[in-house]
Amino acid sequence: MNCTKCPTSMRAVISLPRHNAAFCKGCFTTFVHEQVARAIKSFKMFTPEDRILVAVSGGKDSLALWHILLTLGYRADALYVNLGIGGYSEESNRKVRHYADTVAAAHGAKLIVHVVEQEAGAGIRELATILHRPTCSTCGTIKRYQFNRAAVEQDYDVMATGHNLDDEAARLLGNVLHWQDEYLDKQSPTLPASVEGFAKKVKPLCRLSEREIAAYAVVNRIDYIVEECPMAKGSKMILYKEVLNRLETESPGTKQRFYWGFLEKQTKPEPATESMAEKDQRTLHPCQSCGQPTTADTCSYCKMMAKAKTATPR
């Protein structure tokens, strides 16, 4: 398959069914940068003058985000929280430091490291056991706290995380399934610094899928940890992603329509509440043929029967 964008029709490195497109390496990199730039502008995330703190884990999303922001010319440092998960944390720590030393440093960006065990006296596994809480819940609380704390105490204008379209669609599905209104209200690519002590939080990768970000990392030779966190086994988020992936395979663009549709509804003013009876009384009237309620002059049934009679041989 050839690239559908460049005039030279270079060999495509990735096909994107939801966009009916395929891109070569150069066009794909440009596409990713454009999607991030569009998200930054659309949701008023930050300006070139702002100082940005990127939450990095060693995975593809966070390192790709740091790479993209630096490439686009933003002032972006990063914070890595070492959770003390044995070999997994050792490897992720190595990946982050490698990128910081070989790429980020050339842009004048620095890496901040927080070691959970040094402050809490135990790694994430031990803390979860001591607190009688699920490991993922304990981990999430610690990371949110440390990221926000570093951003506020070191005077960053905004904190950026690597949440992608798959993450946000899966989170939205979980919140809708459980009708968690409080979480739905806060599910936006940009969360303001609403009170003193809270940093502004943004998700610049919200327009890009997990597959697209993985491809970007490979194409741009970003060395990231491929293994999933061993603590994530059994996570509901993984189940929601699997469900959405199945839907995406059958109908490309499902995740995008689901999540972007939700964001669009968030920006629209709430219409005046109208009961079903009031709406029916306003929109329905008798069918000219049979008298049954319909929104058109002739109801669907009468139209169908009339067509059938015309088509039926006598």
Side-chain angles (χ1 to χ4, degrees), residues 83-146:
L83 299 165
I85 310 176
Y88 179 81
S89 287
E90 291 174 8
E91 181 67 3
S92 62
N93 180 51
R94 189 183 69 78
K95 300 289 187 183
V96 171
R97 288 187 181 277
H98 174 74
Y99 182 84
D101 293 340
T102 60
V103 181
H107 292 269
K110 68 177 182 179
L111 172 67
I112 305 166
V113 176
H114 174 83
V115 181
V116 171
E117 195 168 1
Q118 289 180 357
E119 182 172 298
I124 198 70
R125 278 196 182 102
E126 294 79 10
L127 284 173
T129 301
I130 293 168
L131 298 169
H132 302 291
R133 289 183 60 176
T135 309
C136 285
S137 173
T138 306
C139 175
T141 299
I142 289 174
K143 288 197 292 188
R144 284 191 297 271
Y145 178 86
Q146 295 299 341

Side-chain angles (χ1 to χ4, degrees), residues 241-301:
K241 284 186 178 183
E242 290 174 353
V243 170
L244 288 167
N245 283 338
R246 173 68 186 276
L247 292 170
E248 185 74 17
T249 299
E250 296 295 329
S251 180
T254 295
K255 298 173 191 174
Q256 175 181 307
R257 290 189 295 271
F258 179 49
Y259 180 56
W260 291 7
F262 168 75
L263 294 180
E264 185 179 355
K265 287 184 179 296
Q266 274 190 325
T267 62
K268 292 181 178 179
E270 286 289 329
T273 304
E274 182 180 37
S275 70
M276 186 176 72
E278 290 171 334
K279 183 177 180 180
D280 284 351
Q281 291 164 10
R282 176 171 57 81
T283 59
L284 299 177
H285 50 264
C287 169
Q288 293 179 354
S289 179
C290 69
Q292 292 267 21
T294 180
T295 57
D297 293 334
T298 305
C299 72
S300 297
Y301 179 84

Side-chain angles (χ1 to χ4, degrees), residues 56 58-67 95 99 222-224:
V56 293
K60 62 185 183 308
D61 302 306
S62 59
L63 287 181
L65 173 59
W66 197 11
H67 184 84
K95 300 289 187 183
Y99 182 84
I222 299 172
D223 185 20
Y224 65 91

Side-chain angles (χ1 to χ4, degrees), residues 23-91:
F23 297 119
C24 64
K25 176 182 176 180
C27 290
F28 177 61
T29 297
T30 299
F31 164 79
V32 170
H33 291 174
E34 287 174 347
Q35 291 298 309
V36 172
R38 188 171 175 180
I40 292 169
K41 182 179 179 179
S42 298
F43 296 101
K44 300 177 180 178
M45 293 183 177
F46 42 76
T47 68
E49 291 72 37
D50 288 332
R51 294 180 67 236
I52 305 163
L53 182 65
V54 182
V56 293
S57 66
K60 62 185 183 308
D61 302 306
S62 59
L63 287 181
L65 173 59
W66 197 11
H67 184 84
I68 293 166
L69 295 182
L70 292 175
T71 303
L72 293 178
Y74 288 101
R75 297 192 296 165
D77 294 331
L79 170 66
Y80 170 71
V81 176
N82 190 322
L83 299 165
I85 310 176
Y88 179 81
S89 287
E90 291 174 8
E91 181 67 3

